[in-house]
Amino acid sequence: MSSLATEICAPLAVLGRDVQVPLVNGEKVGYAALDYAASSPALQRVWDDVAAYAPYYGSVHRGAGYLSQLSTDLFEQSRRTVAEFLDLREGDQVVFTRATTDSLNLLAGAVPAGTRVFAFETEHHASLLPWAHAGLDVHYLRAPRSRAEAVAALDAALAGAPEGPKLLCVTGASNVTGELWPVAELTETAHRHGARVVLDAAQLAPHHRVSVRALDVDWIAFSGHKLYAPFGAGVLAGRADWLDAAEPYLAGGGATRTVARETDGSVAVQWHTGPARHEAGSPNVIGAYAIASACRALTEAGFDALEARERQLVDRLTAGLAEIPEVRVLNLFGATGDIHSVARVGVLSFVVRGWNSSHFSAALSAEYGIGVRDGLFCAHPLVRTLLGDEDAAPSECGAPEPSLPGERSLNAIRVSFGAGTPDEHVDRFLTAVRELVTDGAAWNYRNEGGRCVATVQIDRGRREG
Ligand SMILES: Cc1ncc(COP(=O)(O)O)c(C=O)c1O
């Protein structure tokens, strides 16, 4: 039986794994990077590939010289590598962007006028906001409390929608709870009603194999800096028709086929179709090459093994937190069920009874060398829904100011990890949470310019006495 079990790989080598950071008591400790959901460390392999290419760096699509030709080939090969990684269909395009936010704003500008966009209010702001910003009509769907409810809510909303083009924007994995969304079912529902789908894979692609063909989504977006390739590039990939028919995202060199002065003094432009239409300006070849390198590295490590390892870490984390009654893990789906039953990537948010989340996160950093994130994670409506009122921050250390009159100050703590995370980081995190909850912080903290900083050591003997 055990021979059938998926092999679990060792953590992949990432930069920063040996970095020592100072603790508030003057000691040094290896940094535990547990904020992969914000930006993951670079894979060593990506760094090495970029360093090996760097001497050959040259302009892309603009030079006759050898290095320009080589760089152009590398850029276009990177596009093909990403297409393979995403298992794109014949005719799908890969557009290199700056990141997911850029990709979704690009698509919002390419959506035909009159399109009605559907998005759950639980989305990251990058998926929630570009549509109305581009002047489109948006139908926000209320936070569903189960996957089945999400599919049913979309079905009902689309059934009642007027004729005309429609688009659903949905995340693959939540950046707050890490929970997986039922992308295939939502896409099947959307397509049945004639709506297209764009998948925000910012948190999914670094953790899971993603097949655009199998999921049948129309577009997908992700960021290089969350996929171990922090060189300023991202991806929008998918169907060509709306992209080719749209105005170019940016006007400038590279997007144009011809530009001619007319006799009346105006300038007539013929724009390219294909990815070049939306990639005006000198392309970020290093960013694109770094993403392609990460795609190759993850594929070679094998997603079965990577996912198995991550599941093991997620289980370790959720089991450890479940033993601390003061900790409340935030789940949208299965909120009342066993947290073990929640399918998630290595992203989890929680609050600690009696603690302000900024204070807790600051103590994790200052006293244990652990880097997590606190706040509302650019998903304000979702975090507010998950926290409700009862978790209003009990102290003011670093807590965000309430933005509306009468609103209470809320935030949470997010721990996230991925392919480079050693077991020790999760274990140290659990030990730290247990100690902080049981013994309290060893230092006092105060809010300085919005940051929670350690001030003086607490005399534990005096306090206990
Ligand atoms: C789910 C999700 N979508 C979109 C984004 C935006 O990504 P970026 O900041 O790389 O543009 C993020 C970033 O945290 C995210 O988690």
Side-chain angles (χ1 to χ4, degrees):
M1 274 207 19
S2 60
S3 63
L4 293 176
T6 306
E7 205 174 307
I8 293 174
C9 60
L12 302 190
V14 290
L15 262 60
R17 60 193 184 279
D18 299 323
V19 165
Q20 298 280 308
V21 292
L23 299 180
V24 64
N25 64 6
E27 290 173 12
K28 286 202 160 182
V29 66
Y31 186 61
L34 291 176
D35 195 13
Y36 274 51
S39 283
S40 60
L43 279 175
Q44 184 69 51
R45 163 84 175 275
V46 169
W47 190 258
D48 292 345
D49 280 352
V50 166
Y53 161 61
Y56 301 92
Y57 175 76
S59 62
V60 170
H61 294 313
R62 298 166 157 70
Y66 185 84
L67 296 193
S68 295
Q69 299 293 315
L70 185 146
S71 294
T72 300
D73 286 349
L74 208 71
F75 186 67
E76 292 305 328
Q77 179 54 46
S78 300
R79 217 190 283 286
R80 290 191 287 276
T81 302
V82 170
E84 245 173 69
F85 178 74
L86 296 174
D87 192 19
L88 296 186
R89 299 151 297 219
E90 190 74 22
D92 282 345
Q93 292 184 354
V94 173
V95 181
F96 283 114
T97 64
R98 287 182 297 166
T100 309
T101 305
D102 201 32
S103 299
L104 295 173
N105 276 273
L106 190 168
L107 185 65
V111 167
T115 299
R116 194 164 167 77
V117 180
F118 294 78
F120 287 92
E121 64 184 15
T122 46
E123 293 294 344
H124 186 281
H125 296 171
S127 300
L128 195 68
L129 304 179
W131 321 107
H133 191 63
L136 296 162
D137 185 14
V138 189
H139 181 117
Y140 296 107
L141 298 155
R142 299 306 302 269
R145 299 313 296 236
S146 71
R147 292 182 179 82
E149 201 181 309
V151 177
L154 178 70
D155 199 17
L158 288 171
E163 284 296 302
K166 294 178 264 307
L167 175 72
L168 167 72
C169 179
V170 67
T171 190
S174 166
N175 71 305
V176 175
T177 66
E179 290 164 306
L180 294 167
W181 278 67
V183 176
E185 291 87 338
L186 288 167
T187 303
E188 189 278 320
T189 305
H191 285 173
R192 190 158 31 81
H193 290 284
R196 295 188 179 201
V197 178
V198 55
L199 173 63
D200 173 352
Q203 301 295 348
L204 186 65
H207 301 274
H208 275 255
R209 180 185 292 112
V210 178
S211 165
V212 166
R213 191 187 307 270
L215 289 172
D216 202 25
V217 295
D218 299 274
W219 293 278
I220 184 168
F222 70 88
S223 303
H225 72 102
K226 296 184 198 290
L227 192 94
Y228 315 103
F231 290 88
V235 166
L236 173 69
R239 299 204 182 279
D241 54 355
W242 284 5
L243 296 175
D244 279 345
E247 286 296 306
Y249 185 41
L250 297 170
T256 54
R257 209 189 298 277
T258 63
V259 180
R261 189 82 195 279
E262 301 284 43
T263 45
D264 66 358
S266 63
V267 169
V269 185
Q270 277 191 349
W271 301 101
H272 277 301
T273 52
R277 186 178 188 84
H278 298 291
E279 288 178 350
S282 298
N284 175 1
V285 56
I286 287 191
Y289 183 55
I291 289 182
S293 166
C295 292
R296 279 193 299 272
L298 294 173
T299 304
E300 283 167 25
F303 269 102
D304 285 346
L306 289 167
E307 289 173 29
R309 173 167 169 72
E310 189 168 305
R311 259 196 313 277
Q312 206 179 49
L313 288 182
V314 167
D315 286 349
R316 205 181 183 101
L317 176 71
T318 51
L321 290 178
E323 286 171 2
I324 309 172
E326 290 82 357
V327 168
R328 180 159 82 85
V329 173
L330 304 180
N331 292 319
L332 186 60
F333 305 142
T336 54
D338 175 3
I339 54 175
H340 291 281
S341 68
V342 177
R344 57 157 46 91
V345 296
V347 177
L348 178 149
S349 296
F350 63 101
V351 286
V352 185
R353 196 186 315 132
W355 282 82
N356 172 280
S357 295
S358 302
H359 184 186
F360 200 87
S361 305
L364 285 174
S365 172
E367 299 179 30
Y368 297 91
I370 296 169
V372 296
R373 182 171 172 196
D374 64 281
L376 297 173
F377 318 127
C378 299
H380 294 189
L382 170 57
V383 179
R384 288 188 203 289
T385 298
L386 294 173
L387 288 181
D389 258 357
E390 84 273 26
D391 286 304
S395 79
E396 291 309 310
C397 196
E401 286 305 308
S403 51
L404 298 171
E407 202 170 60
R408 300 174 78 187
S409 174
L410 295 170
N411 59 353
I413 306 154
R414 181 180 72 189
V415 54
S416 56
F417 47 82
T421 306
D423 294 7
E424 187 274 321
H425 286 183
V426 173
D427 291 342
R428 195 191 327 166
F429 170 79
L430 285 169
T431 302
V433 173
R434 252 181 247 118
E435 285 182 4
L436 287 171
V437 165
T438 310
D439 305 332
W443 288 66
N444 277 322
Y445 291 78
R446 95 163 159 248
N447 185 344
E448 279 181 12
R451 286 182 62 193
C452 203
V453 295
T455 53
V456 287
Q457 193 161 12
I458 295 169
D459 182 343
R460 282 208 160 125
R462 186 120 57 91
R463 193 181 58 178
E464 280 153 17

